[in-house]
Amino acid sequence: HKIEKLRYDFTNLDIQVDCGLDVNTFKIASKSGANVIVAGTSVFGSKDKEKTIGQLRSSIQYEIDNRKSSSKL
């Protein structure tokens, strides 16, 4: 996977993904190593924008924290 390869090669690089991401695909992108996610359609198309933003933020923060923990092992 391209994102995983970039994350492995460039641990401190910001990796951005932009293309119709929703809460489910967002998790895949963040787990792969993306840490900058553009989710305009997902947010602006949501009935509860605040909840959607919160879910997206939580998802990426969880993956970032896991990466930090894993790199310490």
Side-chain angles (χ1 to χ4, degrees), residues 9-23:
D9 291 343
F10 305 99
T11 57
N12 294 321
L13 182 73
D14 283 334
I15 300 172
Q16 179 175 318
V17 177
D18 178 5
C19 192
L21 296 171
D22 60 24
V23 174

Side-chain angles (χ1 to χ4, degrees), residues 4-73:
E4 291 167 337
K5 171 95 171 89
L6 283 170
R7 178 56 55 215
Y8 180 80
D9 291 343
F10 305 99
T11 57
N12 294 321
L13 182 73
D14 283 334
I15 300 172
Q16 179 175 318
V17 177
D18 178 5
C19 192
L21 296 171
D22 60 24
V23 174
N24 297 317
T25 56
F26 186 90
K27 290 177 184 179
I28 295 167
S30 62
K31 188 172 185 173
S32 295
N35 64 327
V36 178
I37 308 287
V38 179
T41 301
S42 181
V43 171
F44 291 108
S46 173
K47 292 180 181 178
D48 188 343
K49 292 171 184 51
E50 197 170 319
K51 179 179 177 182
T52 300
I53 291 169
Q55 290 173 326
L56 297 172
R57 284 182 175 162
S58 294
S59 176
I60 200 162
Q61 190 61 54
Y62 176 81
E63 296 305 332
I64 289 169
D65 292 345
N66 276 347
R67 271 198 300 278
K68 288 178 183 176
S69 296
S70 296
S71 67
K72 293 179 183 177
L73 298 176

